[in-house]
Amino acid sequence: MEDGLHAGFDMARVERRLPQNVEGDLFVDDSCIDCDACRQIAPLTFRDHGGQSSVYRQPETTDARHRALMALVACPTASIGSRSRDGVRTAVRAFPTKLYDNVYFCGFTAESSFGAWSYLIVRPASAGGNILVDSPRFSRPLATQIEELGGVQLMYLSHKDDIADHATYAAHFNCPRVMHEADGAAALGIEQITTGRDELRIDGDLVSIPTPGHTRGHQVLLYQDRALFTGDHLAWSPYRQTLTAFRDVCWFSWTEQVESMEKLLEYRFEWVLPGHGRLHHAPRKEMHEHLERCVDWMHRR
Ligand code: SF4
């Protein structure tokens, strides 16, 4: 193990290297669970060869290698390896990585969340402090880097599938967690339990919106009418080039998930930041049109 990089996991093993990789320093081994993180972070290096990822082109520039090593760090199963390990320390330090202004992607995804993405909103104490949205895998380097950004004052959990090492982070940062009662929040020892189906204004910038469907207690977080943290409710489809939902992993009720999606038409946002699936940025009007298209599509599923 290097740099505390994959606490609880081994590094990718060269003897388990997939034959679909091109020759070179970077490779994916057969432990890949096909979570898509590497393909989203470093599409110039990783591809889906059918059920798993592999390296289809070794990075040819410093930036491409850095992105590929960020994917190595983010991988939930330590399935990506680098024979040389050159640049891995720098990639570890890249997380949380800025998406826009004060909103960051945490990297360090967890296998227990099937590689779900988590995010950090960095705000001054006067605005309520930092929010961790869903939980990454616990890693000392990441915790230290979050501390340097001001720590975590509140952890928001969208639903029970993407909570990863929430208890460890909550203890480390001494922060309360927010989660819906219908996803078993009480049994998890959650400090602030949301209830019902009405929106909850957490503070001047944050609104929690119940979106039952994927799970009974799923909820999404709207930040400044700009970013919607969507858990497993809503994501961008790179194949259909519009917003989508996942019927094949709808664990509670598709009918309710459609109703929850319709409810989101009342809100405006320009970023969709999901746990699974691709994130997307577009002007509010365009995003709203994609959401309308998504609702229509869901009715036909
Ligand atoms: S990030 Fe890791 S587990 Fe996910 S698709 Fe890539 S290699 Fe596979």
Side-chain angles (χ1 to χ4, degrees):
M1 190 168 72
E2 178 176 322
D3 299 315
L5 185 59
H6 282 104
F9 297 102
D10 294 327
M11 288 286 285
R13 289 157 56 178
V14 71
E15 66 272 21
R16 292 175 56 176
R17 176 185 176 280
L18 291 168
Q20 290 86 355
N21 293 287
V22 296
E23 282 304 319
D25 181 67
L26 287 166
F27 63 93
V28 178
D29 76 13
D30 63 5
S31 64
C32 169
I33 59 171
D34 198 24
C35 77
D36 188 46
C38 60
R39 304 189 295 262
Q40 186 163 192
I41 296 168
L44 295 178
T45 300
F46 299 97
R47 62 162 180 161
D48 176 2
H49 64 253
Q52 284 182 313
S53 288
S54 51
V55 173
Y56 73 94
R57 185 192 301 145
Q58 294 290 339
E60 292 166 359
T61 66
T62 303
D63 185 56
R65 178 164 176 88
H66 181 60
R67 295 296 303 181
L69 292 175
M70 287 175 68
L72 181 155
V73 173
C75 176
T77 46
S79 302
I80 301 171
S82 161
R83 289 182 169 98
S84 72
R85 301 192 174 194
D86 291 344
V88 173
R89 283 174 185 270
T90 304
V92 168
R93 284 196 296 271
F95 292 111
T97 188
K98 187 179 287 199
L99 297 174
Y100 77 89
D101 295 352
N102 58 332
V103 174
Y104 295 73
F105 164 47
C106 293
F108 290 88
T109 70
E111 186 173 13
S112 60
S113 298
F114 199 78
W117 287 33
S118 60
Y119 303 90
L120 182 72
I121 307 172
V122 175
R123 309 188 301 174
S126 59
N130 295 350
I131 314 291
L132 184 61
V133 183
D134 288 327
S135 175
R137 162 174 30 110
F138 190 80
S139 143
R140 291 246 164 239
L142 179 63
T144 299
Q145 283 142 207
I146 291 175
E147 277 164 24
E148 289 165 4
L149 289 167
V152 178
Q153 280 68 53
L154 186 73
M155 189 188 307
Y156 181 88
L157 299 171
S158 64
H159 69 299
K160 61 186 178 185
D161 298 342
D162 292 355
I163 56 179
D165 294 328
H166 67 107
T168 311
Y169 276 106
H172 184 87
F173 289 110
N174 192 27
C175 67
R177 295 158 289 176
V178 179
M179 189 176 175
H180 200 281
E181 68 169 350
D183 260 17
L188 291 167
I190 300 297
E191 294 78 12
Q192 297 181 11
I193 299 178
T194 53
T195 59
R197 301 209 168 183
D198 294 331
E199 69 166 42
L200 172 72
R201 182 160 285 281
I202 296 174
D203 61 30
D205 287 334
L206 295 165
V207 180
S208 177
I209 307 164
T211 50
H214 173 74
T215 60
R216 189 185 292 269
H218 197 290
Q219 54 188 6
V220 300
L221 184 67
L222 182 64
Y223 173 58
Q224 290 186 328
D225 293 334
R226 193 169 181 202
L228 189 69
F229 298 91
T230 56
D232 290 352
H233 180 66
L234 173 70
W236 180 257
S237 166
Y239 309 106
R240 295 176 38 242
Q241 287 292 299
T242 190
L243 291 172
T244 194
F246 306 108
R247 180 154 195 174
D248 54 342
V249 289
C250 175
W251 311 126
F252 172 54
S253 164
W254 184 249
T255 302
E256 294 217 23
Q257 191 164 345
V258 176
E259 289 171 7
S260 295
M261 203 67 80
E262 286 174 331
K263 192 164 66 176
L264 290 184
L265 291 168
E266 299 166 19
Y267 300 90
R268 294 293 181 272
F269 45 89
E270 58 189 63
W271 284 89
V272 165
L273 299 174
H276 290 111
R278 299 291 173 102
L279 59 80
H280 191 64
H281 179 228
R284 286 182 176 84
K285 182 172 178 298
E286 191 178 315
M287 195 67 93
H288 186 74
E289 289 165 1
H290 281 298
L291 188 60
E292 288 179 321
R293 211 169 297 155
C294 179
V295 168
D296 285 346
W297 175 83
M298 289 176 79
H299 276 295
R300 288 182 272 108
R301 298 290 290 173

